[in-house]
Amino acid sequence: MSGLSEAYITGAGSFLPGPPVPSAEMEAYLGLVGGRASLFGRKALRWNGVETRHYALTPDGTPTHSNAGMCAGAVRAAVEDAGLGLEALSFLAAATTQGDWLVPGHAAAVHGELGCGPIEIASFQSVCGSSLMAAKAAWLSVRAGEHRAAAACAGEFSSRWFRPAFYEGTALVDAKGRLRSEADFLRFTLSDGAGAVVMEPAPRPDGLSLRVEFIDLVSLAGRFDPCMWAGAPTEGRADPMATWSHAGPVAAHAAGAVALLQDFELLKRVIRAWVGVYLQKVDEGRIDPARIDHLLCHYSARSLREEIVALLEKTAGMIPEEKWFSNLASVGNIGSASIWVMLDGFLKSGRLKAGEKILCVVPESGRAFVGFMLLEAVG
Amino acid sequence: MSAVADVLRRLTVAFTEFEGRLEQTPLIRKLTRGRFEVADYRAFLVALRQQVKDGALWMSRAASNIDEEHLELRSLLMRHAVTEHRDFRLLEADYVATGGALAEIRQAEKNIGSEALSAWMFHEASRPNPFGLLGAMWIIEGLGSIKAAEWGRLVQQRLSLPDEAVRFLLYHGENDAEHIGEFEKMLDLVLPDAAVAERIVKTARVTGRLYALQIEEIAA
């Protein structure tokens, strides 16, 4: 026996800033780089299938919220959903891709916005997968008996990084004023918002709670170069000695080393690596596709290419598409916050029944990382 | 769960493990990090030629060791060997198109990894009913259908080479579509059989490891 107690998700919450923004209005919020309409935007939208998203900006690009503020909103909603007050919370694990400050950590900023009394905090900075890194910390803290109520939150304010000032006058824009696809694609992929869950050592007295069966996190960064990154130009990005701070902020910006970028060729290889990790979990019996009632994957089935779906089917690894729940198309791809916003939407959809199992899959292209969380509905 | 799906899944895991290892090799790192030069490409072609030339040979030998109970598989392997046994000429032509001398690629020695890979393949092919080699085929065919075209495009892009210097890599990617389906049929001819299933997966893993060693050992 491990001597650890169980831990349950007893509440979930989301914070989506402003109204849903349709695709046709995106560029008003993000701004035109060098006064030109995007070259790759439509292609990106076809691929990711997002129809509406939220921005913490007004249509002229003025910020309406901070990343930390959105996270605090999501934590409050999750605590409320659990039927608790903020005073019950003794641990906060916060995740983001890029916080409001470079220093200190994101959890300090979220705690600051929450304004509650002294608590333990932990910051997790990565990309989408940081959500589950934070969740694992919260889960283990509760299981170890260190905390009776812990929150894991994740938030993104991606849009401010997509404003023209991040690209104009840099090497990312060519002589004809065209923005490189590595940068442009992401502008039409990611958007803003936050999500959170509350974990406790016992299920809530009424309604459904989610027993966390496991959280498995696998990094393949030892083998793959950065695939989605900020802080280095495209060429030479794998060298930590060539990152932005060595050049200094002004030169780094001019070299295009500050903006968020993605290597789409590498992404194809990284997707296969994720599939490999997943199938290994299936093979080891850690994940039994036949016993999964609901799949929440931070990746739409339609953006997986046909051959990947065929491969999953032929290897008895596919979870039928009717078991996939996703709200990516309506809330957007919110990076680390996506899995919590998706889980929150799922719980509120009323589809879940006691005894059912939910598999959450969070692939992160940052540097070939993938996380899995298996939940069981109890109550 | 069907025996074929079970083995296909384990083979997919073996392939992705192999692919991750390739990504770490100095040669492929040069390619993906934009530091690949013509000399690297030529060294790559030299190593590939050894393996491609041997491929049809071990496949023929394997076919000759398949018993009468498995004639369909024997036919498939023989046809496969015929289809591929001249492919190394294409590699030689690519080499020459980069400005290399034909004699160089023909006379080049096998590197340490190529020696190990070749010895392993012929050893396996010499056993009675060498069904484990289906695992080796999965790895090597997977390279052809998944990696070759990807590498070909990167090579062409980095080195600005004409099409006729990258034909082997680019041409392989085109035979992609039927890959898994055909392979499933072959597995169906020898499964279910727990010992064969184990051997196929083991052979795939060893082959992937030795193939990666071959790429690791390429020094321009």
Side-chain angles (χ1 to χ4, degrees), chain A residues 222-225 236 238 265-266 268-269 272-273 275-277 279-280 282-283 311 314-316 367, chain B residues 1 5-6 8-10 12-13 16-17 19-21 23-24 29 32-33 138 146-147 150 153 180 184:
Chain A
R223 295 193 166 157
F224 292 90
D225 282 347
E265 276 304 311
L266 178 54
K268 291 179 197 159
R269 309 202 286 282
R272 289 197 293 272
V275 171
V277 174
L279 289 177
Q280 191 159 13
V282 172
D283 206 57
L311 184 67
K314 286 187 189 298
T315 55
R367 196 160 179 171
Chain B
M1 207 172 281
D6 205 36
L8 271 178
R9 183 174 63 255
R10 294 170 69 196
T12 303
V13 172
T16 52
E17 165 72 23
E19 206 182 349
R21 253 183 212 286
E23 197 79 8
Q24 277 178 301
R29 283 236 142 126
T32 58
R33 290 179 179 177
W138 173 261
I146 295 173
K147 302 303 291 180
E150 198 175 279
R153 280 193 302 272
I180 300 182
E184 249 182 328

Side-chain angles (χ1 to χ4, degrees), chain A residues 259-273:
Chain A
L260 199 62
L261 301 168
Q262 173 122 60
D263 178 336
F264 288 93
E265 276 304 311
L266 178 54
L267 181 60
K268 291 179 197 159
R269 309 202 286 282
V270 168
I271 289 174
R272 289 197 293 272

Side-chain angles (χ1 to χ4, degrees), chain B residues 49-63:
Chain B
R49 179 183 176 277
Q50 307 292 0
Q51 190 274 123
V52 170
K53 190 159 87 90
D54 281 357
L57 302 183
W58 63 252
M59 231 178 271
S60 308
R61 185 179 296 188

Side-chain angles (χ1 to χ4, degrees), chain B:
Chain B
M1 207 172 281
S2 91
V4 170
D6 205 36
V7 167
L8 271 178
R9 183 174 63 255
R10 294 170 69 196
L11 288 175
T12 303
V13 172
F15 187 84
T16 52
E17 165 72 23
F18 167 55
E19 206 182 349
R21 253 183 212 286
L22 286 175
E23 197 79 8
Q24 277 178 301
T25 58
L27 186 89
I28 300 302
R29 283 236 142 126
K30 277 188 174 179
L31 185 60
T32 58
R33 290 179 179 177
R35 296 183 175 272
F36 202 72
E37 290 166 17
V38 173
D40 296 309
Y41 180 47
R42 287 197 195 129
F44 193 23
L45 292 176
V46 165
L48 286 175
R49 179 183 176 277
Q50 307 292 0
Q51 190 274 123
V52 170
K53 190 159 87 90
D54 281 357
L57 302 183
W58 63 252
M59 231 178 271
S60 308
R61 185 179 296 188
S64 74
N65 281 314
I66 290 177
D67 66 17
E68 292 171 16
E69 307 299 309
H70 299 88
L71 281 183
E72 181 58 31
L73 183 62
R74 193 201 280 177
S75 304
L76 281 170
L77 285 184
M78 287 164 81
R79 276 200 292 274
H80 215 97
V82 171
T83 314
E84 297 194 352
H85 86 120
R86 291 166 186 272
D87 279 4
F88 68 96
R89 291 285 182 226
L90 194 55
L91 273 162
E92 292 174 353
D94 284 354
Y95 189 87
V96 172
T98 67
L102 186 58
E104 273 169 21
I105 186 167
R106 287 201 174 156
Q107 287 158 15
E109 269 197 45
K110 285 180 176 159
N111 74 32
I112 292 170
S114 303
E115 291 284 5
L117 180 63
S118 175
W120 157 253
M121 300 305 260
F122 283 111
H123 168 74
E124 281 301 295
S126 304
R127 294 157 55 123
N129 283 334
F131 302 146
L133 281 172
L134 290 178
M137 286 175 72
W138 173 261
I139 294 290
I140 291 169
E141 301 278 301
L143 274 175
S145 66
I146 295 173
K147 302 303 291 180
E150 198 175 279
W151 284 337
R153 280 193 302 272
L154 273 176
V155 166
Q156 214 172 8
Q157 192 185 317
R158 300 273 183 241
L159 303 178
S160 311
L161 289 171
D163 281 353
E164 61 263 27
V166 204
R167 277 188 303 169
F168 179 81
L169 289 176
L170 292 180
Y171 142 93
H172 256 97
E174 291 169 7
N175 297 334
D176 178 42
E178 299 296 305
H179 176 56
I180 300 182
E182 277 174 18
F183 194 75
E184 249 182 328
K185 276 185 222 147
M186 287 202 267
L187 287 180
D188 235 356
L189 298 171
V190 296
L191 296 175
D193 180 321
V196 169
E198 280 307 314
R199 194 63 201 165
I200 290 172
V201 174
K202 178 76 175 287
T203 307
R205 297 182 61 207
V206 173
T207 305
R209 187 67 193 87
L210 295 181
Y211 202 108
L213 184 64
Q214 169 181 264
I215 304 289
E216 239 170 270
E217 287 289 329
I218 297 175

